[in-house]
Amino acid sequence: GAVVSQHPSWVICKSGTSVKIECRSLDFQATTMFWYRQFPKQSLMLMATSNEGSKATYEQGVEKDKFLINHASLTLSTLTVTSAHPEDSSFYICSAPASTGSQETQYFGPGTRLLVL
Amino acid sequence: QQQVKQSPQSLIVQKGGISIINCAYENTAFDYFPWYQQFPGKGPALLIAIRPDVSEKKEGRFTISFNKSAKQFSLHIMDSQPGDSATYFCAARGGTGGFKTIFGAGTRLFVKA
């Protein structure tokens, strides 16, 4: 199946710094990617839809100035957590749809664990 | 309208038993209902999915039952194994949301050896 990678897999940073997370579709092109956040023992909450060549679409309650999304190419989307604070500590997961046979399937990355001290 | 409700929150099943997880949705525009399996520290992986024009889909030990009129669907894991111990999420997408996938709250399954 299609593969989505994320980098880094985990990151620890100081409060107030910015952290960039990359999401790549390795063997297919994705004009759209999605960013999710998952707190411990909770479900995945959609943060935003990343669109290649245009602005990202953010879900209600997600600060677009804090979570900057750039869909630089058909295989790369980046999420930058600006001025990170401890409450931003979470598991961030991206996904991208790809065609497999007759249907399109959503493939998820392995996630990036962020810890803000 | 966008919610997907999932139960139970946690489930303990004996090895060889049947695990059943239930979900209900509200948005009738949803047209694709996947189930994901997630192990700790990993991203979710697609397990099986169904479209509303089918009432049941089986892949190996995993079966989805779909009741369109009740807006409910369920996952059955037959002959549950300790290796099945994970968190399972039902999800839904479609309508004006396109590929946006809405997840249920998740069910933590533990299969006792």
Side-chain angles (χ1 to χ4, degrees), chain A residues 3-11 19-26 33-35 50 68-73 75-81 92-95 108-113:
Chain A
V3 177
V4 175
S5 71
Q6 283 183 238
H7 178 80
S9 57
W10 60 270
V11 56
V19 174
K20 180 185 284 188
I21 302 171
E22 293 184 349
C23 176
R24 293 182 184 273
S25 55
L26 296 187
M33 292 183 176
F34 300 93
W35 286 97
S50 175
L68 301 179
I69 291 173
N70 181 29
H71 202 128
S73 72
T75 59
L76 173 64
S77 174
T78 60
L79 169 68
T80 301
V81 183
Y92 292 86
I93 307 172
C94 69
S95 72
F108 285 81
T112 296
R113 188 163 300 283

Side-chain angles (χ1 to χ4, degrees), chain B residues 3 34 36 39 45 50 54 60 62 76 80 82 94 103 105 108-109:
Chain B
Q3 271 191 318
Y36 289 91
F39 293 103
I50 198 168
V54 176
F62 302 95
H76 291 60
S80 299
F103 283 80
R108 300 184 78 187
L109 170 66

Side-chain angles (χ1 to χ4, degrees), chain A residues 32 34 36 38 41-46 49 59 91 93 97-98 103-111 113, chain B residues 32 36 38 40-46 49 51 57 89 93 97-106 108:
Chain A
T32 301
F34 300 93
Y36 292 84
Q38 185 178 32
K41 299 183 181 179
Q42 293 190 23
S43 187
L44 284 78
M45 298 302 296
L46 180 64
T49 302
E59 295 301 301
F91 194 47
I93 307 172
Q103 69 179 26
E104 289 197 311
T105 301
Q106 191 97 243
Y107 290 92
F108 285 81
R113 188 163 300 283
Chain B
Y32 183 73
Y36 289 91
Q38 185 181 32
K42 306 293 184 183
L46 179 65
R51 293 196 179 274
K57 183 175 181 180
F89 293 96
R93 75 171 197 230
F99 263 102
K100 279 172 53 173
T101 301
I102 308 301
F103 283 80
R108 300 184 78 187

